[in-house]
Amino acid sequence: MLTEAARMRRVSIILILLLAASPAWSGAWLRDKGAAFVSTAVTAFKEPDYGYDYKGSFYAEYGLREKLTLGLDVEEHRDIYGHALVFARLPVAEFEKAGRFAAEIAIGAHHRQMRAWALYKATLSYGKGFQTGWGNGWIAIDAALEFRTHDAVYRKLDLTAGLLSPRLINPLLQIETAYQGDQPLHWRIKPSIMIRTKDSPTTWVLGLERNDARKNSGIRLAIWNTF
């Protein structure tokens, strides 16, 4: 029979291999040297007056070194507003069973229609894997300061949790919040399912999005690929 230490090592190895499949919890985990990840996603909302509203995103990571991951984060809400960031992620601390921390620095720009401004972001991420009766799980917490040069400083706190198992379908939950000065709290909740066949480098993510700005929910589809 496996000892407790051996079981924990096996769980850690499985998590490291599987956690490379998604940006949803990657803030505290780095890519292996030479490994790459690409995600594309689209979210559509039904509008009563003019059909559908939509937004798209592109996300990529590459392990430049064992302790340095570089990436690109782009999001566009139709042609009205959006952002593009390049980032670097470094490990901060490793606590074995208690989890790990990593830091990320990003620089880029955001726009509203034809006007654009600089955008800077600093993030501290915590991540931890654990075991359940339904499969291995993880939780990730990202705390960020986002400075928009024409606007203000946004304080962001995001939480991601999910399960990983040999099953075809596994659950995923993302909660995102943003706060600016005396403005109301902005939030987004994205419950999803991850669909992945055994040994496939591709994961399909299908879910819903609900936020503070709308009374209806949107449908979200994402495709994740590892290289």
Side-chain angles (χ1 to χ4, degrees), residues 51-65:
Y52 289 90
D53 192 9
Y54 63 90
K55 64 180 179 180
S57 65
F58 176 83
Y59 182 97
E61 289 185 347
Y62 177 73
L64 184 65
R65 298 180 180 178

Side-chain angles (χ1 to χ4, degrees), residues 190-203:
K190 297 186 287 187
S192 307
I193 57 172
M194 300 175 290
I195 305 170
R196 185 186 186 192
T197 58
K198 185 178 180 182
D199 300 325
S200 173
T202 301
T203 300

Side-chain angles (χ1 to χ4, degrees), residues 20-226:
S22 165
W25 55 84
S26 60
W29 286 271
L30 277 71
R31 298 286 163 189
D32 290 335
K33 183 178 179 180
F37 170 87
V38 174
S39 167
T40 56
V42 63
T43 304
F45 295 88
K46 182 69 172 66
E47 293 290 346
D49 298 328
Y50 58 91
Y52 289 90
D53 192 9
Y54 63 90
K55 64 180 179 180
S57 65
F58 176 83
Y59 182 97
E61 289 185 347
Y62 177 73
L64 184 65
R65 298 180 180 178
E66 291 297 332
K67 295 186 177 182
L68 176 61
T69 294
L70 302 181
L72 174 66
D73 177 9
V74 180
E75 184 173 290
E76 182 67 23
H77 189 126
R78 296 166 64 191
D79 57 352
I80 301 174
Y81 61 87
H83 70 256
L85 290 166
V86 292
F87 62 83
R89 183 183 308 132
L90 297 166
V92 173
E94 171 77 43
F95 299 107
E96 297 182 353
K97 294 182 182 180
R100 63 177 65 198
F101 284 91
E104 189 173 291
I105 299 296
I107 184 172
H110 68 107
H111 81 92
R112 289 186 180 275
Q113 295 180 336
M114 299 301 293
R115 300 188 64 188
W117 302 269
L119 174 60
Y120 309 96
K121 186 177 181 181
T123 305
L124 179 64
S125 300
Y126 168 78
K128 182 181 185 299
F130 56 87
Q131 283 183 293
T132 74
W134 300 279
N136 297 319
W138 84 94
I139 185 170
I141 300 173
D142 303 308
L145 286 176
E146 186 174 287
F147 179 65
R148 303 188 174 211
T149 52
H150 88 294
D151 200 351
V153 175
Y154 285 83
R155 298 165 179 86
K156 296 188 173 184
L157 184 64
D158 302 337
L159 181 145
T160 302
L163 292 179
L164 294 168
S165 74
R167 293 188 299 266
L168 176 66
I169 297 175
N170 283 287
L172 173 69
L173 176 64
Q174 296 166 278
I175 301 174
E176 303 171 1
T177 64
Y179 178 73
Q180 174 199 354
D182 57 354
Q183 300 296 314
L185 178 72
H186 298 292
W187 55 266
R188 290 193 292 189
I189 299 177
K190 297 186 287 187
S192 307
I193 57 172
M194 300 175 290
I195 305 170
R196 185 186 186 192
T197 58
K198 185 178 180 182
D199 300 325
S200 173
T202 301
T203 300
W204 294 77
V205 182
L206 179 63
L208 301 175
E209 178 179 322
R210 191 67 181 252
N211 59 55
D212 62 289
R214 298 177 181 272
K215 295 182 180 180
N216 62 333
S217 298
I219 297 176
R220 182 171 184 267
L221 174 64
I223 304 174
W224 301 341
N225 281 288
T226 55

